[in-house]
């Protein structure tokens, strides 16, 4: 079937995982109760902004938002909202999720179909970290909630709908989980669910029996009462009725979603596993990188590799995992956490148990006479980069003559680490990549998002934009990444091979080598207060001059600070607007205008639409200021002539 044969193929857009969730929940829910915690904050603030703007849900009800004094209180507020028959959401991460744990048990025990959206974050175990990790969600894996994991922004949007449908049909609360920052804050192409789809798929909160008001005095019941020896166990075990039917309900919701949209989900997602000998298994964005790595291994090394994404951690799809992987020689289960005093990390434990059930003839499991060798690894803790080379090393480890390391780590120097033999570039053919070096607070993160949005919308290309976030970044060096391609971009890692390097701060030359990985014939932009090519060239250190000459790198320059100062109508905008000037430089110097044969008027019309999307709420003057900054970057950026770079000598 083609996408045209499905009634709701989606609305093409660019957004991050946070915005994708806000889009869905601001249409289908009645309210949200949340307390901000990084990296889920953008979901909560996005929802609250819709409330402030007077948005109504699909049934004409004004949205409600409550921010109490803690995450624990926000969960309790959601409990009360759901007890009264309301359709409610929460957005949280890390310690905030763990703080809620007491309340999560009671929400499940009362069969309240709330949905909480998690930006998965490493817990403060040996140090504070606000980045991706799965130990927060694993810490609450026993509370009786469904748990669906997203690989990317598309999954985040779609699973928000599927989880809601499954929660209400199954009378069981659900969490959707996406990797903190790596998905919550990464701009990508996706198809937003249409309002008409959401209205049909989810249904009126006041219709039928999906949502029940347990506080209706006309139908009094007891809920959450004290029970002693004679009653408690009976009530607890009786709840197996709801859980036993949950896998079927989730699968049915996923199948109904497919027939409406053409986007298929399952409890697990197998990738090229049919004839595979080895596989990488995991949850979240790392598996999408693994899928692209699998294609590379098959095409360039003739290794029959595959990948498996466990979309539903709860209900746990043991039979489906065994069925998908039973023929493998070996599999490596990679997890964003480490629990060394347990038998294994959580996903590994459950997969081993599933195979034990299958081997011993447990009803409902495939009959097998052997099981693959199971390897286990920890990677990506605190958003540590997981590279294609790490995943290649994972496959190579399973193929070693000595059996390899049964437990391993990736991405750090350690006695248990697998050391990559190489790090292949698995970006789509013809991809254009940018790595920017800037200073936190200069507006580079917003600029990167605006560039991605414009390139995606105007040129019809696939994009992925991601900055290196951190609470300590303001005023300090930071890095951001952008990839543009004709095909979907599946790699979720930092870019080491790039075509364009903008330096918002020339001090980047003194903090490392910002030209590392810049391809031959690539481009570099330098923010400078110098006005002539000769002066700019003099500023560049000798080691960088050598690289520029050897690789025939094009050098561009402009004083973006001066332009921002002249254009900004408010002093508080000056620092951030110098990043916006880069948008004009990007449009002028990258190949997309030339390839698409677009006029300057067409380009700036699209630029204005995107600027209004990001800055419209701050007023017309702010939009006009930013548009002027882009225009001046486009028209005033200048090249360093090849003759100057060739003639100027190097220090001896």
């Amino acid at each position: 079937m083609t996408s045209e044969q499905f009634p709701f193929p989606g609305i093409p857009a660019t957004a991050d995982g946070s915005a994708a969730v806000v889009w869905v929940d601001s249409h289908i829910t009645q309210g949200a109760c949340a307390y901000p915690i990084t990296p889920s904050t953008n979901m909560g603030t996005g929802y609250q902004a819709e409330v402030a703007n007077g948005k109504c849900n699909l049934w004409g009800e004004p949205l409600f938002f409550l921010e109490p004094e803690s995450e624990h209180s926000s969960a309790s507020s959601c409990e009360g909202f759901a007890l009264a028959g309301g359709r409610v959401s929460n957005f949280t991460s890390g310690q905030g999720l763990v703080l809620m744990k007491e309340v999560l048990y009671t929400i499940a025990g009362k069969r309240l179909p709330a949905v909480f959206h998690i930006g998965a974050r490493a817990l403060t175990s040996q140090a504070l970290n606000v980045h991706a990790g799965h130990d927060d969600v694993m810490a609450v894996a026993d509370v009786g909630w469904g748990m669906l994991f997203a690989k990317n922004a598309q999954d985040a949007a779609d699973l928000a709908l599927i989880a809601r449908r499954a929660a209400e049909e199954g009378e069981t609360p659900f969490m959707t989980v996406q990797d903190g920052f790596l998905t919550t804050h990464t701009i990508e192409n996706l198809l937003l669910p249409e309002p008409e789809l959401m209205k049909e798929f989810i249904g009126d909160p006041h219709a039928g029996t999906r949502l029940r008001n347990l506080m209706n005095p006309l139908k009094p019941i007891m809920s959450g009462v004290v029970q002693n020896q004679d009653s408690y166990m009976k009530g607890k075990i009786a709840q197996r009725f709801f859980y036993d039917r949950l896998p079927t309900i989730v699968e049915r919701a996923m199948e109904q979603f497919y027939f409406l949209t053409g986007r298929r989900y399952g409890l697990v997602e197998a990738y090229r596993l049919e004839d595979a000998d080895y596989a990488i298994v995991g949850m979240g964005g790392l598996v999408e990188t693994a899928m692209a790595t699998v294609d590379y291994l098959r095409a360039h090394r003739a290794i029959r590799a595959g990948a498996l994404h466990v979309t539903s951690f709860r209900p746990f799809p043991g039979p489906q995992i065994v069925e998908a992987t039973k023929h493998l020689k070996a599999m490596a289960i990679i997890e964003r956490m480490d629990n060394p005093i347990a038998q294994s990390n959580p996903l590994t434990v459950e997969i081993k148990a599933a195979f034990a059930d299958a081997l011993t003839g447990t009803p409902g499991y495939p009959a097998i006479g052997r099981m693959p060798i199971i390897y286990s690894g920890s990677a990506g803790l605190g958003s540590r980069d997981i590279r294609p080379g790490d995943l290649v090393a994972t496959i190579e480890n399973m193929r070693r003559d000595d059996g390899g390391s049964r437990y391993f780590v990736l991405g750090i120097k350690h006695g248990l680490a697998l050391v990559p033999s190489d790090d292949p570039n698995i970006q789509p053919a013809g991809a254009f990549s940018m790595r920017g070096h800037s200073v936190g607070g200069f507006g580079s993160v917003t600029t990167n998002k605006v560039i991605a949005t414009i390139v995606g919308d105007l040129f019809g290309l696939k994009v992925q934009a991601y900055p290196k976030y951190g609470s300590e970044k303001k005023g300090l060096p930071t890095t951001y990444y952008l990839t543009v391609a004709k095909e979907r971009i599946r790699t979720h890692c930092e870019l080491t091979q790039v075509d364009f390097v903008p330096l918002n701060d020339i001090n980047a030359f003194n903090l490392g080598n910002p030209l590392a990985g810049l391809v031959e014939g690539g481009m570099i932009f330098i923010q400078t207060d110098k006005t002539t090519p000769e002066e700019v060239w003099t500023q560049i250190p000798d080691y960088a001059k050598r690289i520029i000459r050897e690789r025939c790198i094009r050098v561009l320059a402009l004083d973006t600070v001066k332009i921002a100062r002249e254009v900004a109508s408010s002093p508080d905008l000056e620092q951030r607007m110098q990043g916006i000037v880069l948008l004009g430089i990007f449009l002028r110097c990258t190949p997309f205008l030339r390839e698409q044969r677009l006029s300057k008027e067409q380009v700036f019309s699209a630029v204005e639409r995107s600027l209004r999307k990001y800055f419209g709420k701050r007023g017309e003057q702010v939009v006009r200021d930013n548009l002027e900054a882009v225009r001046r970057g486009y028209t005033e950026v200048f090249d360093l002539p090849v003759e100057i770079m060739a003639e100027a000598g190097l220090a001896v």
Side-chain angles (χ1 to χ4, degrees):
M1 300 179 75
T2 64
S3 60
E4 289 74 20
Q5 293 173 298
F6 294 97
F8 301 107
I11 304 169
T14 53
D16 59 25
S18 297
V21 167
V22 171
W23 168 262
V24 170
D25 270 28
S26 62
H27 280 92
I28 66 171
T29 63
Q30 294 168 297
C33 309
Y35 184 83
I37 180 170
T38 305
S40 65
T41 305
N42 282 6
M43 289 186 268
T45 55
Y47 191 100
Q48 195 278 333
E50 297 288 9
V51 174
N53 291 332
K55 184 171 182 177
C56 294
N57 66 18
L58 291 170
W59 297 275
E61 300 172 296
L63 297 176
F64 170 85
F65 184 83
L66 176 66
E67 181 186 323
E69 51 78 34
S70 73
E71 293 89 353
H72 185 282
S73 298
S74 74
S76 296
S77 302
C78 288
E79 179 185 358
F81 200 113
L83 273 168
R87 184 176 282 162
V88 67
S89 284
N90 190 296
F91 319 99
T92 195
S93 300
Q95 281 74 240
L97 178 60
V98 177
L99 181 60
M100 295 177 174
K101 188 168 185 178
E102 175 190 15
V103 184
L104 300 180
Y105 282 111
T106 63
I107 292 174
K110 294 175 182 178
R111 317 312 319 160
L112 303 177
V115 176
F116 286 17
H117 302 287
I118 316 301
R121 163 180 162 177
L123 291 177
T124 301
S125 49
Q126 66 88 23
L128 172 65
N129 181 278
V130 300
H131 300 281
H134 287 175
D135 37 357
D136 58 349
V137 288
M138 293 301 130
V140 298
D142 62 339
V143 296
W145 288 52
M147 299 172 70
L148 303 181
F149 279 77
K151 305 184 306 299
N152 49 39
Q154 184 70 65
D155 286 9
D158 293 345
L159 293 177
L161 281 169
I162 291 168
R164 184 72 60 175
R165 177 68 179 260
E168 294 182 2
E169 286 194 13
E171 298 173 90
T172 301
F174 264 75
M175 298 176 195
T176 70
V177 183
Q178 53 182 307
D179 293 338
F181 286 120
L182 301 179
T183 307
T184 58
H185 288 63
T186 295
I187 297 285
E188 301 178 277
N189 296 87
L190 78 163
L191 299 169
L192 291 172
E194 298 91 339
E196 298 80 10
L197 161 70
M198 293 188 278
K199 193 169 187 177
E200 177 178 333
F201 186 69
I202 298 300
D204 189 333
H206 298 292
T209 59
R210 287 186 187 171
L211 295 167
R212 295 193 304 272
N213 181 1
L214 301 183
M215 303 184 76
N216 183 353
L218 299 178
K219 296 181 179 179
I221 66 167
M222 288 193 300
S223 178
V225 297
V226 175
Q227 292 178 331
N228 290 323
Q229 297 93 327
D230 58 332
S231 302
Y232 177 79
M233 182 174 176
K234 291 186 289 184
K236 181 67 175 178
I237 299 302
Q239 296 209 2
R240 281 182 168 261
F241 165 80
F242 298 98
Y243 293 116
D244 288 345
R245 62 187 188 140
L246 197 57
T248 300
I249 289 172
V250 176
E251 288 183 305
R252 183 167 64 236
M254 290 174 166
E255 193 67 11
Q256 290 170 329
F257 188 82
Y258 167 73
F259 282 118
L260 289 170
T261 67
R263 301 192 291 277
R264 186 180 290 282
Y265 293 89
L267 301 183
V268 299
E269 181 182 352
Y271 186 76
R272 305 192 76 169
L273 279 179
E274 297 84 357
D275 65 339
D277 294 322
Y278 305 95
I280 293 171
V281 181
M283 299 185 293
L286 75 88
V287 183
E288 194 162 42
T289 304
M291 291 173 176
T293 305
V294 162
D295 290 343
Y296 166 82
L297 288 170
R298 284 177 172 264
H300 298 279
R301 300 198 184 181
I303 297 174
R304 293 191 298 186
L308 182 75
H309 183 254
V310 180
T311 304
S312 174
F313 188 68
R314 294 287 185 268
F316 189 75
Q320 291 85 351
I321 292 174
V322 172
E323 183 62 41
T325 61
K326 62 185 181 181
H327 62 285
L328 296 171
K329 293 180 180 178
M331 70 174 82
I333 303 163
I334 302 176
E335 303 182 61
R336 282 190 185 271
M337 65 168 296
D338 186 27
N339 186 4
I341 59 175
Q343 195 282 333
S344 293
N345 282 328
L347 180 58
T348 304
V349 165
E350 303 237 6
I351 291 178
K352 287 179 177 178
F355 271 99
D357 277 347
L359 282 168
T360 54
T362 301
Y365 279 79
I368 61 174
R370 58 165 293 278
M371 62 181 285
I373 299 172
I374 294 179
Y375 294 77
S376 178
S378 295
L381 280 66
S383 286
R384 186 76 179 188
D385 203 21
I386 302 175
R387 306 203 55 75
D390 296 320
L391 301 174
V392 171
T394 299
I395 298 292
E396 290 175 342
N397 180 62
M398 292 187 281
R399 301 176 71 235
R400 282 169 45 180
D401 293 338
D402 64 359
S405 301
R406 289 297 182 94
Y407 174 78
F408 58 88
V409 299
L410 299 174
I412 62 172
K413 293 182 180 179
H414 189 272
L416 296 171
L418 301 182
V419 180
S421 57
D422 66 336
D423 188 28
N425 179 12
I426 59 173
Q427 295 277 39
F432 180 94
S433 295
M434 176 177 81
R435 183 186 67 238
H437 298 264
S438 186
V439 174
F442 277 21
S444 302
V445 170
T446 300
T447 300
N448 205 30
K449 290 182 177 181
V450 173
I451 291 174
T453 300
I454 290 174
V455 171
D457 294 347
L458 178 62
F459 303 130
L461 297 169
K462 306 299 182 185
V463 297
Q464 185 189 80
Y466 168 66
K468 289 190 75 169
Y469 280 93
S471 56
E472 77 289 356
K473 291 292 187 184
K474 189 168 184 178
L476 295 175
T478 189
T479 310
Y480 57 95
Y481 305 95
L482 172 69
T483 300
V484 182
K486 294 180 180 179
E487 303 171 27
R488 185 165 63 89
I489 301 155
R490 297 181 293 167
T491 47
H492 299 269
C493 58
E494 296 173 15
L495 303 177
T496 57
Q497 183 172 319
V498 293
D499 302 275
F500 180 37
V501 174
L503 301 180
N504 297 79
D505 180 11
I506 198 167
N507 285 326
F509 281 121
N510 303 317
L511 299 172
N513 179 10
L515 304 180
L518 184 58
V519 300
E520 186 167 351
M523 295 180 292
I524 181 172
F525 164 76
I526 299 173
Q527 151 60 33
T528 177
D529 59 359
K530 307 304 180 185
T531 57
T532 68
E534 293 84 357
E535 291 176 307
V536 175
W537 183 248
T538 302
Q539 278 189 303
I540 300 173
D542 285 350
Y543 83 87
K545 290 177 179 176
R546 292 189 181 94
I547 296 172
I548 290 169
R549 287 172 169 174
E550 290 168 1
R551 298 185 192 170
C552 301
I553 292 170
R554 180 184 177 190
V555 182
L556 308 145
L558 186 63
D559 190 350
T560 62
V561 175
K562 178 175 179 290
I563 291 175
R565 187 182 306 118
E566 293 172 351
V567 168
S569 56
S570 173
D572 66 312
L573 296 177
E574 288 182 15
Q575 192 175 57
R576 290 191 170 275
M577 283 187 61
Q578 59 187 282
I580 294 296
V581 180
L582 178 63
L583 172 56
I585 297 166
F586 182 91
L587 292 171
R588 174 71 178 274
C589 302
T590 52
F592 307 113
L593 288 180
R594 184 173 62 256
E595 293 173 356
Q596 300 278 340
R597 298 180 180 177
L598 295 173
S599 68
K600 185 177 177 181
E601 291 71 26
Q602 288 174 303
V603 171
F604 278 95
S605 176
V607 168
E608 183 172 355
R609 287 196 300 271
S610 292
L611 292 176
R612 290 190 182 281
K613 174 181 176 181
Y614 283 97
F615 304 114
K617 62 185 178 182
R618 301 193 65 177
E620 180 65 22
Q621 188 59 51
V622 172
V623 174
R624 306 313 302 175
D625 290 350
N626 278 278
L627 185 59
E628 179 62 18
V630 177
R631 288 186 184 277
R632 290 192 60 179
Y634 184 92
T635 57
E636 296 178 23
V637 65
F638 61 91
D639 277 81
L640 272 64
V642 174
E643 311 82 66
I644 289 176
M645 295 188 290
E647 292 173 3
L650 301 178
V652 178

